[in-house]
């Protein structure tokens, strides 16, 4: 066994296979052992349910008894708070207050529906008509309903009053606990370095040893001897098995991590976390086995059983300190180390976590035993001071050694001086040094309670922060590995697709929420030594679960969760239905594309409003209760949201009246292009250069808009050609008509035409008019027609005349003047749409 124990630290690199198998066997044994108990609990639950069903709906008399009991508890608490109490009594009073609050809240929850039902029945009866006399049975029923309504209303008010008084009593208890805690920390005794203290300790120690510690040891030894020998044999065999499994699990953990876990930081962080879990589980299981052996023969007294249970927890905490230090330092495997520490620092500090855990377990156990047996003040102060000084010395020695080793590593390295620590690390080191210095001074000066508290607090803060760091790294590495796996399984291509993006976003969001939960739990744990223990947090969580009143609305976390679920699922359903309408149903109707998009958008708006209303109802806020929200928002709308509301309403008008629709070609204030999308606030217009202009919807309502395709989707091509007076007009007209009719882009209906606009000093002016399928095709068809007409006129020998306004020769200051040609340049043609 000694050899096994000496090899255990070096062989603790192992995987999870043996540990998983052992845990499964232990879990199966626990399930088999607790199965009869579960059956009995189920029978008791069924019996309670049947009894509750037999009782039926509680009556006002039941409510009165419940509220009287809660009122009596609150009165007893209020009377007790007038007397001096210790911390344990205050904790007991707080539990009494919470029980009274629970009774009052349960009664209020049951009274509200009955009161609502009674008032509804009163409303059905109505008021007594003037000048008439009711039937006796109706009058009796009205009187009974009035009495029930008054009774239930008064009971409901009393229940709410008890709840409010309970909150006030809890706050008062918390204030008293904090003040007592501060008073204890400020108490001063004789210094341990003075002669009076040692004289008093020499006088009190024999009495404490014989009257306090020896009887406790004898009582504990009696329970040990009372257990059968076979029980202790089984306990020792279990302890030996645990130690062997610890060694095997360490080796299996290393094998599993190197062969089954992907390479990277996840392998290291998972390995470190499992090492910490094993370091906590092994001493805890061994202590539990010893506790079971002591408790085997007879039931232990409550005080001794609580003491042993506390020692089991202390051993688990000591294992946590040692395991956390070994996992973070990783002196045996530098490549698996998570923090950025040099090998020299890690090797130099590898013994400090184990030494600190031993001092913590022995010192805190001695302090708790002294408090349990009610030892003398000198003995208690001596144990507290000794434990505090040892803890402070070990922590200070560790910090000094880390700084020296870091400096020595930097001096022997070729990379120059050691890099400066981050700001947060420097601040944390400064805070630790300050706390340790104050702790040492207080312990020497006689303020043992405050000095010991600071030493314990430093250990607690370092441990909690270390666990939080380890868990945060594990979550971050796990998220990174999952993201990499998801991206590896995605198809190749520049666009990963919406599903892949949604998965990646969900993973990142989940990792962020888990890390936020870790931060909140860390803050809660750091506040425990200052009076904010788990019971206070549980009480606050319970208050959060019971609901928060906002006016007449009662907001509960379950209702909020249900509302969020309705909101998410409803929006998803609306999006799916919109896509189905655009892709399947609306194309099968006679609606054009723009109207299809408008109908789908309006359906989405209506669906979103309906889903928001359903979500508010699920959260416990009826539509009639949001009038005050609308009133408050109206002020903001009048000042800051006026433009947003104006654009939103304008968007609705555009979708309803459809002066413009998706696919139209519009001109608005110098912007000309196709409408691609009509959103809630703005409309997207794609211009001819493929750029997109976002125009507020109010611009389409308040300004002049030219919609080329509103009434007629056809486009018109207009070309003006000037020709000399001597031109054969009929021949020229025929050539132009042939060019229009032979072009594939020009429609036969309406038929193209060539008009003679008139005669002027420059000659004849012909207008070529043709229609195309869309205004977007007009520019291309116009260009083709110009090339074709100019070619035909050139081949026929029909020249174009130069407009009198185009004096290109006079625009040049010097240079030869070119002789005029018989045919004008193509650029002389005036083109218009």
């Amino acid at each position: 066994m000694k050899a096994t124990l000496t090899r255990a630290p070096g062989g603790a690199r192992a995987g999870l296979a043996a540990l998983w198998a052992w845990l499964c066997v232990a879990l199966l044994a626990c399930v088999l052992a607790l199965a009869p108990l579960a059956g009995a609990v189920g029978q008791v639950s069924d019996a309670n349910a049947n009894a509750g069903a037999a009782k039926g709906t509680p009556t006002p008399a039941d409510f009165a008894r419940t509220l009287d009991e809660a009122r009596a508890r609150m009165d007893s608490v209020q009377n007790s708070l007038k007397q001096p109490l210790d911390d344990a009594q205050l904790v007991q009073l707080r539990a009494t207050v919470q029980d009274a609050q629970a009774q009052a809240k349960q009664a209020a929850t049951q009274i509200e529906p009955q009161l609502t039902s009674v008032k509804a029945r009163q409303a059905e009866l109505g008021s007594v008509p003037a000048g008439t006399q009711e039937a006796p049975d109706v009058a009796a029923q009205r009187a009974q309903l009035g009495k029930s309504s008054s009774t239930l209303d008064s009971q409901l008010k009393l229940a709410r009053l008890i709840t409010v008084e309970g909150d006030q009593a809890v706050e008062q208890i918390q204030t008293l606990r904090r003040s007592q805690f501060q008073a204890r920390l400020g108490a001063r005794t004789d210094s341990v370095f003075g002669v009076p203290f040692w004289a008093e300790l020499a006088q009190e120690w024999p009495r404490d040893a014989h009257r306090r510690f020896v009887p406790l040891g004898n009582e504990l030894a009696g329970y040990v001897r009372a257990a059968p020998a076979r029980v202790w044999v089984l306990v020792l065999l279990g302890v030996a098995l645990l130690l062997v499994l610890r060694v095997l699990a360490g080796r299996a953990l290393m094998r599993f991590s190197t062969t089954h876990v992907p390479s990277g930081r996840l392998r290291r962080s998972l390995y470190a976390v499992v090492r910490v879990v094993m370091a906590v589980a092994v001493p805890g299981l061994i202590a539990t086995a010893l506790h079971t052996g002591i408790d085997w023969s007879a039931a232990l007294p409550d005080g001794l059983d609580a003491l042993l249970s506390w020692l089991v927890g202390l051993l688990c905490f000591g294992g946590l300190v040692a395991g956390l230090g070994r996992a973070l330092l990783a002196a045996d495997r530098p490549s698996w180390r998570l923090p950025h520490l040099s090998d020299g620092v890690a090797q130099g500090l590898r013994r400090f976590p184990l030494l600190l855990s031993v001092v913590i377990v022995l010192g805190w156990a001695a302090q708790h035993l002294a408090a349990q047996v009610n030892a003398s003040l000198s003995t208690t102060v001596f144990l507290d001071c000794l434990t505090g000084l040892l803890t402070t010395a070990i922590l200070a020695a560790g910090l000094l050694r880390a700084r020296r080793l870091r400096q020595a590593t930097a001096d022997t390295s070729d990379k120059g001086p050691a890099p400066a620590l981050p700001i947060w690390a420097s601040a944390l080191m400064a805070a630790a040094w300050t706390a340790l210095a104050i702790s040492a001074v207080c312990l020497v000066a006689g303020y043992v309670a405050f000095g010991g508290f600071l030493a314990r607090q430093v250990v607690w803060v370092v441990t909690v922060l270390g666990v939080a760091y380890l868990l945060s790294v594990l979550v971050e590495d796990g998220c990174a590995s999952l993201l990499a796996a998801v991206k590896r399984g995605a198809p190749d291509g520049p666009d990963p697709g919406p599903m892949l993006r949604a998965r990646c976003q969900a993973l990142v969001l989940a990792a962020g929420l888990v890390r936020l939960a870790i931060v909140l739990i860390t803050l809660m744990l750091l506040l425990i030594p200052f009076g904010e223990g788990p019971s206070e947090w549980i009480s606050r969580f319970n208050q959060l679960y019971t609901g928060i009143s906002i006016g007449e609305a009662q907001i509960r976390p379950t209702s909020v969760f249900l509302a969020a679920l309705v909101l998410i699922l409803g929006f998803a359903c609306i999006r799916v239905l919109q896509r189905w309408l655009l892709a399947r149903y609306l194309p099968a109707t006679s609606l054009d594309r723009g109207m299809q998009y408008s109908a789908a958008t309006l359906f989405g708006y209506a669906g979103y409003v309906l889903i928001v209303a359903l979500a508010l109802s699920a959260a416990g806020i009826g539509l009639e209760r949001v009038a005050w929200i609308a009133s408050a928002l109206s002020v903001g709308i009048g000042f800051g949201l006026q433009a947003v509301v104006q654009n939103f309403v304008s968007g609705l008008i555009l979708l309803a009246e459809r002066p413009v629709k998706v696919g139209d070609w519009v001109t608005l204030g110098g912007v000309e292009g196709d409408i691609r999308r009509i959103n809630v606030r703005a409309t997207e217009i794609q211009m001819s250069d493929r750029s997109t202009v976002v125009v507020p919807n109010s611009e389409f309502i308040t300004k002049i808009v030219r919609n080329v395709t509103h009434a007629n989707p056809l486009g018109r091509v207009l070309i003006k050609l000037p020709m000399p007076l001597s031109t054969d007009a009929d021949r020229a007209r025929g050539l132009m008509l042939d060019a229009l009719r032979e072009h594939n882009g020009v429609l036969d209906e309406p038929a193209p035409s060539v008009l003679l606009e008139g005669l002027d000093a420059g000659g004849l002016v012909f207008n070529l008019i043709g229609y195309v399928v869309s205004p977007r095709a007009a520019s291309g068809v116009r260009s083709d027609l110009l090339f074709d007409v100019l070619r035909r006129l050139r081949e026929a020998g029909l020249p174009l005349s130069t407009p009198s306004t185009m004096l290109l020769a006079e625009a040049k200051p010097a240079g030869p003047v070119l002789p005029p040609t018989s045919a004008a340049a193509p650029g002389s043609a005036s083109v218009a749409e």
Side-chain angles (χ1 to χ4, degrees), residues 781-819:
V781 173
R782 183 189 304 117
S783 176
D784 295 341
L785 287 175
L786 279 173
F787 281 111
D788 190 16
V789 169
L790 292 177
R791 181 182 58 79
R792 290 173 183 266
L793 293 177
R794 188 181 300 110
E795 291 176 354
L798 298 176
L800 294 176
S801 63
T802 303
S804 60
T805 57
M806 298 182 64
L807 303 176
L808 300 179
E810 296 180 2
K812 298 182 180 181
V817 179
L818 298 177

Side-chain angles (χ1 to χ4, degrees), residues 173-191:
I173 291 172
Q174 289 295 104
T175 303
L176 290 175
R177 291 189 65 196
R178 292 190 183 96
S179 62
Q180 290 184 4
F181 177 75
Q182 295 172 359
R184 287 198 307 269
L185 291 181
R188 186 179 185 276
T189 59
D190 294 332
S191 175

Side-chain angles (χ1 to χ4, degrees), residues 528-609:
I528 285 179
F530 298 95
E532 291 286 342
S535 56
E536 286 82 358
W537 287 78
I538 293 174
S539 175
R540 295 181 183 181
F541 287 145
N542 184 38
Q543 293 178 1
L544 188 61
Y545 174 77
T546 54
I548 302 173
S549 297
I550 302 178
E552 297 182 358
Q554 190 76 9
I555 305 298
R556 294 181 175 86
T558 53
S559 301
V560 173
F561 175 76
L562 181 60
L565 187 63
V566 170
L567 206 63
I568 295 173
L569 294 180
F571 282 4
C573 291
I574 294 299
R575 294 294 298 272
V576 171
L577 289 176
Q578 276 188 301
R579 293 177 182 176
W580 177 79
L581 287 174
L582 288 174
R584 297 293 183 87
Y585 178 72
L586 292 177
T589 62
S590 59
L591 301 176
D592 57 80
R593 179 172 172 268
M595 189 60 188
Q596 293 175 14
Y597 184 83
S598 299
T601 304
L602 287 174
F603 172 80
Y605 290 165
Y608 291 147
V609 172

Side-chain angles (χ1 to χ4, degrees), residues 152 239 244 283 315 317 374 761:
L152 291 174
V239 171
V244 173
L315 286 173
F317 182 77
N374 196 16

